[in-house]
Amino acid sequence: MNGKGDVSTSDHIVIAVDGPAASGKGTLARRLASFYGLGYLDTGSIYRGVGWLMLSQNLDPRHDEDAARLAKTFTLDAIAEADIRTPDVGRAASIIAAKPAVREALLSYQRDYASTPPGAILDGRDIGTVVCPDALVKLFIDASLEARAERRWRELSARDASITLQAVLEDIRRRDARDSGREAAPMRAAKDAVLLDTTQMDIDTVFAAACRVINRALEEKRA
């Protein structure tokens, strides 16, 4: 698909892209944001950022007060040079993301970003259910555990050849359990979300499917 999405300055749309780790939601959301000329926020990077800050200060991610304190003062500038894509940071992020005080502290940041014209695409795990429940379009991106583990392993092993596929699979399995089982904003598809299973789909196919959903919603909004 070539060209640019048909979003006018008067539209102000918000698109929620949710899903588990390594489902492809980030890749899709970035491409959609570029295509439609919207802002893009990887909300997982915020939680990873707080996790990285805790680890860099030798703090335990399980400690509620320290996690909440860092979340309340968090800025993206604080992690501008940080490597937040390591397995350790990912595990820390999943732990602190289960804390209600952390989620509350970061909620306003995400909503402020979404409200900035001409709109935004946010990806995460609770965008359509909690952060932006009134989003024009809600997508839930999923894939089999094995497919997601393979994708993440290829990404991580390019930097560290000692990382095994089995270790990545078990790590994602644990993260899925924490993210879907937490009391605060558990990961789940919104009732009105469109499910896209990317197990057997390449990014171009997923992108085209998402654009069809968004374009249809834009047409209905303008009708």
Side-chain angles (χ1 to χ4, degrees):
M1 184 177 294
N2 298 315
K4 284 291 182 182
D6 181 21
V7 175
S8 70
T9 55
S10 62
D11 281 324
H12 190 272
I13 65 170
V14 176
I15 299 171
V17 183
D18 289 306
S23 60
K25 64 182 182 297
T27 301
L28 173 63
R30 283 190 294 272
R31 186 165 172 179
L32 289 172
S34 176
F35 183 73
Y36 287 101
L38 299 170
Y40 167 64
L41 180 62
D42 170 9
T43 64
S45 68
I46 300 174
Y47 291 95
R48 281 179 172 270
V50 175
W52 179 86
L53 288 171
M54 296 201 74
L55 295 179
S56 68
Q57 297 177 31
N58 295 316
L59 299 174
D60 186 344
R62 294 170 295 184
H63 193 277
D64 291 353
E65 292 183 2
D66 285 339
R69 173 175 55 81
L70 288 176
K72 290 176 181 177
T73 58
F74 176 81
T75 65
L76 287 175
D77 289 341
I79 59 167
E81 303 300 323
D83 183 1
I84 62 172
R85 298 297 171 182
T86 67
D88 286 345
V89 172
R91 284 188 286 271
S94 188
I95 292 170
I96 64 116
K99 301 181 183 300
V102 171
R103 303 199 71 84
E104 183 63 30
L106 298 176
L107 183 59
S108 294
Y109 182 95
Q110 297 172 73
R111 286 179 172 169
D112 287 345
Y113 189 94
S115 67
T116 302
I121 297 180
L122 289 79
D123 81 62
R125 287 167 174 75
D126 67 337
I127 308 304
T129 55
V130 176
V131 179
C132 300
D134 295 326
L136 177 67
V137 174
K138 301 174 188 176
L139 303 173
F140 193 88
I141 313 303
D142 205 354
S144 71
L145 175 63
E146 292 75 17
R148 292 187 289 120
E150 175 81 15
R151 294 169 186 170
R152 183 54 53 84
W153 173 70
R154 290 183 181 279
E155 174 188 339
L156 296 175
S157 62
R159 297 187 297 177
D160 184 352
S162 68
I163 296 175
T164 67
L165 176 58
Q166 185 62 33
V168 174
L169 188 147
E170 291 302 323
D171 183 55
I172 289 181
R173 194 195 305 276
R174 287 191 293 268
R175 290 184 62 188
D176 284 352
R178 282 197 298 266
D179 291 343
S180 60
R182 67 193 180 209
E183 292 185 9
M187 178 183 66
R188 57 183 174 83
K191 292 181 179 179
D192 53 347
V194 175
L195 173 64
L196 295 178
D197 188 321
T198 68
T199 302
Q200 302 293 333
M201 299 168 70
D202 62 24
I203 181 57
D204 289 338
T205 304
V206 177
F207 176 70
C211 285
R212 287 194 293 272
V213 174
I214 294 169
N215 291 341
R216 184 166 58 248
L218 283 170
E219 291 173 1
E220 293 174 355
K221 180 176 184 290
R222 295 163 181 164

